[in-house]
Amino acid sequence: MHKMQLRPSWQILLFLTCLVRLCNGSEILLLISCPRQAAEQCRTWRDNLRQQQISDKIPRDYDYAIKVHIMHELFNYWTLLDALPYLRGQTRLLNANTDWIIWCQHNTHVASLRGLLEQLHQRDAQELAYYGHALYDTEATIVHHFANYKDPTWFPYPMLSAGVVFTGALLRSLVELVALNAPNATRHSEFAIDAAHELARFIFDNIAPADDGSSSSSSSGSGSGSRSNNVDSNISISKDDNDFVDMLQRKIILKSADYICPWARVSPAWSLASLETTAAATAKESKPVSCVLHAKPEMAAGSAVHCVHTTGAHIYFAIKTCAKFHKERIPIIERTWAPDAIRRKYYSDVADDGIPTTGTGLPNVPTGHCAKTLAILQLSLKDINELTDIRWLMLVDDDTLLSVPRLSKLLGCYNHTNNIYLGERYGYRLYAPDGFNYHTGGAGIVLSVPLLRLVVQRCSCPTASAPDDMILGYCLQALGVTATHVPALHQARPQDYAPELLQLNAPISFHKYWHTSPEHTYKRWLGGALGNASSAHATAKDRRAAPLALNGLLQLPNQLAAGLEGSAKHLDL
Ligand SMILES: *[C@@H]1O[C@H](CO)[C@@H](O)[C@H](O)[C@H]1NC(C)=O
Ligand SMILES: *[C@@H]1O[C@H](CO)[C@@H](O)[C@H](O)[C@H]1NC(C)=O
Ligand SMILES: *[C@@H]1O[C@H](CO)[C@@H](O)[C@H](O)[C@H]1NC(C)=O
Ligand SMILES: *[C@@H]1O[C@H](CO)[C@@H](O)[C@H](O)[C@H]1NC(C)=O
């Protein structure tokens, strides 16, 4: 959809547009959302783009000022919605002259700046619109807060790593909405899980196209979006409804852009053999437009990194279980990834010599597990102190599936003597001063051994049933340790993620056996020959944690602790 073909008259049109706008003052803002440990990679990225700007013979018609900005100092740099106030605030990065904003990640690649400018030049920067590679859900999924559509498959959301292009008009409307009307704008959750989907829903729920249907009326360009007439996307919308087309006309959804692609030309090597071709990949075959923006596999060895040989024997696996699941779940782990995880221990409320499991001495609670998890970390540290050669601890659930070879390879590229905290990053209340990032438990949480020591010394639970993974994240953020996101780790099942995302980065974990065959999931996505395939390769430069600001045990502020108790039920699904 939305394919614009060049017609003979386009140059004339461009020429006229150019005269009207006097060819000056228009800006393109390119934002790179960059994890701190990839800072070097991001600077190279920026220099590369500047080089293209000079050498690429950009036609004078495309005379934009291009500003490139690397965002990696903010804890919420990874969600555009929460970073918006910053763009308008002190930095003044976004202003009335900004025609286009391109939101990228450190693994986005601009294959041709010239090609990109050609594409932008054909489009109306005054329209409330955004463009990207459209991803679709195959079913309602927890990672999208079970977006409550009768049919969730029609709703497009952008693949962030491929790059997303916004008109200045849309982004200025968003900024205004987030800044002034925040309490009234519809947010579905306090949790940031998939920033791309949450952004797409926020736009869908809160902004309506300008009245004339094509472009916004205000020429000043600020705040031209009308508020939507409060149609919540929670209403059940289905493709089969007669009003579906009507509804879409009153909404802003992502426009699929064929010049923005999920990968260069061929899909990443690891997946070629085994995966069904995605809709996107087939669509690409017949595509006339080349991919000027695309994603690269995360952590693809762009810069030379010092990686050390690491195997499953360097990793201590602490597996959280309870008596109820000894017979049901432990055998599944034993049949799948356990043989690669020599240093594994099952921690349970009940010690069972037949498996064996180790008792934590604490009763099981239905949710949260904070006390149990801290007890597990203490017991694990005792074990590790008596073993030689353990560099990492990975904490998982009894329904987590892993590829230990891929995990080992990834960890080998991080410096295990530093404080390293890896996992699938979620955010809680990132728009607020008390917000924080944390790694979600089911996907697996990795701590370097020095960091494990620090956690045991410094972190505590507000209550026994507080959500363990969130408390850990909160504590580590307070200690100045960054939550480093590993996109190959997954809190949910393969069917809960868009195929392109699974294809881009060879998966390391999945979680939950619900409506799946775990053995099948393991074989197809994590095990077999694929388990060894070269894949997720960290370019992480080791970073030092900020100096500790506090002494003694960290305590969660009471109010936040209470809020977390209330939200625990959302977390344990
Ligand atoms: C938010 O909504 C309330 C009640 O609907 C209204 O009174 C108030 O003016 C709105 N605030 C803004 C900033 O729009
Ligand atoms: C969304 O729909 C569900 C089920 O129909 C309902 O329970 C819930 O209250 C609704 N949420 C909002 C925000 O309207
Ligand atoms: C790991 O970090 C330590 C301490 O910061 C440093 O001394 C060491 O050289 C680093 N090792 C590698 C392989 O970079
Ligand atoms: C994985 O790699 C190891 C060491 O490189 C090798 O011994 C093993 O046979 C490989 N396994 C598979 C399934 O390819």
Side-chain angles (χ1 to χ4, degrees):
M1 46 170 144
H2 201 80
K3 264 185 205 134
M4 281 198 187
Q5 296 296 338
L6 293 189
R7 305 221 176 78
S9 60
W10 71 278
Q11 279 122 332
I12 298 166
L13 275 175
L14 286 185
F15 179 65
L16 291 176
T17 321
C18 207
L19 275 185
V20 171
R21 298 199 327 222
L22 296 173
C23 272
N24 65 19
S26 291
E27 286 179 2
I28 293 178
L29 175 59
L30 201 139
L31 296 168
I32 309 170
S33 157
C34 186
R36 243 193 284 181
Q37 76 278 0
E40 216 172 285
Q41 198 185 341
C42 294
R43 280 194 292 271
T44 310
W45 199 131
R46 181 182 56 194
D47 297 344
N48 230 313
L49 204 67
R50 292 201 171 134
Q51 204 51 44
Q52 280 193 48
Q53 214 174 331
I54 298 163
S55 64
D56 221 14
K57 295 201 189 71
I58 311 286
R60 290 199 40 211
D61 289 353
Y62 308 158
D63 196 12
Y64 292 104
I66 301 175
K67 284 198 281 193
V68 183
H69 184 72
I70 299 175
M71 300 185 69
H72 54 76
E73 298 309 329
L74 296 165
F75 74 93
N76 62 5
Y77 68 85
W78 62 280
T79 65
L80 180 57
L81 270 184
D82 300 304
L84 281 175
Y86 163 84
L87 296 183
R88 194 56 169 265
Q90 320 94 306
T91 62
R92 307 220 135 263
L93 283 167
L94 180 69
N95 59 54
N97 293 331
T98 317
D99 268 6
W100 299 99
I101 297 89
I102 306 164
W103 175 252
C104 299
Q105 296 193 319
H106 64 287
N107 59 326
T108 308
H109 184 64
V110 179
S112 160
L113 180 61
R114 182 193 168 129
L116 179 60
L117 295 182
E118 269 169 25
Q119 292 293 338
L120 297 184
H121 217 98
Q122 295 168 47
R123 286 166 178 83
D124 178 5
Q126 303 305 315
E127 192 186 345
L128 295 167
Y130 68 121
Y131 305 84
H133 175 77
L135 300 175
Y136 296 91
D137 286 339
T138 49
E139 55 186 80
T141 163
I142 183 169
V143 295
H144 296 152
H145 313 279
F146 287 119
N148 191 28
Y149 310 111
K150 251 189 272 169
D151 176 2
T153 61
W154 66 267
F155 186 70
Y157 58 100
M159 180 168 178
L160 285 189
S161 49
V164 191
V165 173
F166 300 84
T167 61
L170 177 59
L171 220 59
R172 280 185 293 268
S173 296
L174 269 178
V175 167
E176 213 159 79
L177 203 56
V178 172
L180 302 177
N181 292 348
N184 286 11
T186 316
R187 260 180 205 265
H188 286 272
S189 173
E190 298 279 60
F191 291 90
I193 296 180
D194 178 346
H197 194 274
E198 286 146 14
L199 176 70
R201 271 193 99 186
F202 188 86
I203 292 172
F204 183 88
D205 288 344
N206 294 293
I207 300 185
D211 291 339
D212 64 46
S214 59
S215 65
S216 77
S217 42
S218 155
S219 56
S220 79
S222 74
S224 43
S226 32
R227 293 295 306 276
S228 85
N229 38 349
N230 233 0
V231 184
D232 191 319
S233 63
N234 195 32
I235 58 167
S236 295
I237 297 166
S238 157
K239 280 185 289 215
D240 304 326
D241 289 351
N242 291 332
D243 323 315
F244 184 68
V245 175
D246 272 6
M247 183 277 298
L248 284 189
Q249 274 168 1
R250 288 179 283 112
K251 293 293 185 181
I252 294 170
I253 62 169
L254 176 75
K255 295 190 177 182
S256 166
D258 50 10
Y259 57 94
I260 303 176
C261 310
W263 33 74
R265 258 160 235 290
V266 285
S267 53
W270 82 272
S271 55
L272 280 178
S274 70
L275 299 180
E276 70 241 326
T277 338
T278 65
T282 9
K284 237 160 61 99
E285 316 263 322
S286 58
K287 153 186 318 188
V289 179
S290 66
C291 297
V292 297
L293 266 181
H294 65 80
K296 289 187 299 190
E298 178 85 3
M299 308 290 198
S303 51
V305 186
H306 185 81
C307 298
V308 295
H309 180 67
T310 303
T311 70
H314 296 115
I315 310 165
Y316 182 97
F317 293 89
I319 305 159
K320 212 167 51 170
T321 186
C322 61
K324 186 164 89 171
F325 294 127
H326 288 182
K327 290 224 159 53
E328 183 186 326
R329 292 183 177 175
I330 292 177
I332 295 174
I333 294 182
E334 289 294 312
R335 283 200 300 272
T336 53
W337 57 273
D340 291 330
I342 305 152
R343 308 288 197 193
R344 66 185 181 279
K345 200 162 222 178
Y346 296 99
Y347 287 97
S348 177
D349 48 340
V350 175
D352 178 344
D353 291 340
I355 294 181
T357 65
T358 303
T360 55
L362 293 167
N364 196 43
V365 289
T367 56
H369 312 293
C370 191
K372 181 174 170 183
T373 296
L374 272 195
I376 291 172
L377 293 180
Q378 281 160 9
L379 293 169
S380 301
L381 182 58
K382 259 196 215 156
D383 261 4
I384 289 171
N385 284 337
E386 279 161 24
L387 294 165
T388 50
D389 240 19
I390 297 292
R391 302 171 185 171
W392 302 95
L393 169 129
M394 190 184 213
L395 180 69
V396 298
D397 286 352
D398 54 7
D399 54 352
T400 302
L401 294 169
L402 286 179
S403 163
V404 176
R406 287 186 195 150
L407 174 71
S408 308
K409 190 155 185 176
L410 174 83
L411 295 184
C413 301
Y414 288 86
N415 187 336
H416 62 93
T417 67
N418 294 346
N419 288 332
I420 309 280
Y421 171 41
L422 301 167
E424 186 186 13
R425 177 194 48 208
Y426 282 12
Y428 182 68
R429 292 171 57 80
L430 291 185
Y431 56 88
D434 62 358
F436 60 94
N437 291 309
Y438 67 97
H439 291 319
T440 177
I445 297 171
V446 180
L447 304 173
S448 59
V449 170
L451 185 57
L452 172 62
R453 285 207 171 87
L454 185 66
V455 166
V456 168
Q457 279 165 19
R458 302 292 303 278
C459 300
S460 65
C461 295
T463 64
S465 63
D468 53 356
D469 49 4
M470 296 184 75
I471 300 298
L472 187 59
Y474 179 83
C475 180
L476 289 176
Q477 182 159 303
L479 291 169
V481 178
T482 302
T484 300
H485 180 57
V486 178
L489 297 172
H490 299 95
Q491 171 70 13
R493 308 157 305 159
Q495 58 264 51
D496 293 313
Y497 301 88
E500 289 95 320
L501 297 178
L502 298 183
Q503 200 156 345
L504 185 66
N505 294 300
I508 293 176
S509 75
F510 289 108
H511 177 228
K512 289 289 168 200
Y513 299 158
W514 189 66
H515 280 206
T516 62
S517 151
E519 276 93 349
H520 175 77
T521 303
Y522 177 74
K523 246 189 251 150
R524 180 188 159 98
W525 296 98
L526 301 166
L530 283 179
N532 263 0
S534 72
S535 62
H537 207 87
T539 55
K541 249 202 102 197
D542 300 310
R543 50 167 301 278
R544 279 168 174 279
L548 303 185
L550 300 150
N551 293 309
L553 281 181
L554 279 164
Q555 296 290 345
L556 206 61
N558 284 340
Q559 207 181 352
L560 186 60
L564 289 183
E565 286 284 297
S567 56
K569 61 182 187 302
H570 297 295
L571 301 167
D572 219 52
L573 286 163

